[in-house]
Amino acid sequence: SWIHRPSERAPDPAAFLDGLLSKHGKLRFAPGATSRYSNLGVLIAGAAMAQAADEPFADVVGRGILESLGMGSTAFTYSPDMQARAATGYHPRWSPMRYLLKRWVIARPAGRWIALNPFLLDGQAYGGLLGPVTDASRFLRMHLRDGELDGVRVLEPSSVREMRDIRVLGPHIDVGLGWFRPSSARGQGRRARSARS
């Protein structure tokens, strides 16, 4: 439910986060005790980044990552050119999750699938970047090159390696800093082998 139409204004990030924190004020387990993905946790980290940089999260990402890596076709919103080239999302037609979607998101049926109308995420820190695979490959290449791409250093090599170092184990995923691997891959090394989104 944390979505809006591309034509609508996104909620204020601070008000959005405050509203979520008022509903989820208790920790489920001690920090570092186990891993579990949390959109709320990532939103808090994004708010901390924005506050430290004294600029909106989208600007921090835009300046520090997207511009630095030449990812000029990627953003948190659609440009007219991006919207014209955007792929259509699909969801299983008979999945119970379908009933949790906002009605305006559901478009036409396509066999066993339903097409989805374009939407944007309300909380940018937990996802929502839009762009082509060619831009995403630049980000991956930067990681594979320990923080550097085309002569531009975005992260220190030690920081990139530390991000992939698995620190906390969980029932389904084991996590590093922004990287994770399935818990079924335990025993295959301490470093994450691939990024998942």
Side-chain angles (χ1 to χ4, degrees):
S1 63
W2 301 355
I3 61 173
H4 61 278
R5 292 178 174 92
S7 60
E8 295 174 344
R9 187 177 183 148
D12 174 74
F16 179 65
L17 181 57
D18 286 346
L20 292 172
L21 288 173
S22 70
K23 296 175 190 171
H24 305 281
K26 284 191 332 186
L27 293 173
R28 292 190 181 175
F29 46 83
T34 186
S35 74
R36 190 142 324 155
Y37 182 81
S38 164
N39 288 342
L40 184 55
V42 178
L43 286 170
I44 292 168
M49 286 175 59
Q51 178 136 5
D54 195 28
E55 61 183 325
F57 178 80
D59 294 346
V60 174
V61 171
R63 179 184 39 76
I65 298 171
L66 304 179
E67 289 176 20
S68 297
L69 294 178
M71 296 171 64
S73 296
T74 298
F76 287 105
T77 59
Y78 288 103
S79 68
D81 180 55
M82 289 167 65
Q83 188 125 24
R85 296 181 297 127
T88 299
Y90 290 89
H91 187 76
R93 189 172 184 178
W94 306 116
S95 165
M97 291 295 291
R98 171 189 179 176
Y99 299 104
L100 299 176
L101 296 172
K102 292 185 177 186
R103 291 205 180 274
W104 61 262
V105 174
I106 298 173
R108 67 193 180 289
R112 296 180 12 206
W113 303 89
I114 51 170
L116 302 178
N117 289 313
F119 60 89
L120 299 174
L121 299 184
D122 292 343
Q124 295 170 333
Y126 79 93
L129 274 175
L130 306 162
V133 70
T134 50
D135 276 8
S137 70
R138 292 188 64 75
F139 184 79
L140 180 58
R141 286 173 49 214
M142 178 272 296
H143 265 279
L144 292 173
R145 294 177 52 84
D146 283 337
E148 177 271 329
L149 183 64
D150 298 337
V152 176
R153 175 144 308 279
V154 177
L155 295 166
E156 290 300 316
S158 59
S159 297
V160 176
R161 287 190 295 273
E162 187 174 351
M163 290 172 74
R164 294 190 303 248
D165 191 26
I166 298 300
R167 301 275 176 118
V168 183
L169 306 180
H172 303 291
I173 59 170
D174 301 334
V175 297
L177 182 58
W179 290 74
F180 64 92
R181 68 172 180 215
S183 56
S184 61
R186 278 186 202 147
Q188 299 176 16
R190 283 192 50 83
R191 298 207 181 272
R193 297 185 191 279
S194 62
R196 309 266 175 137
S197 57

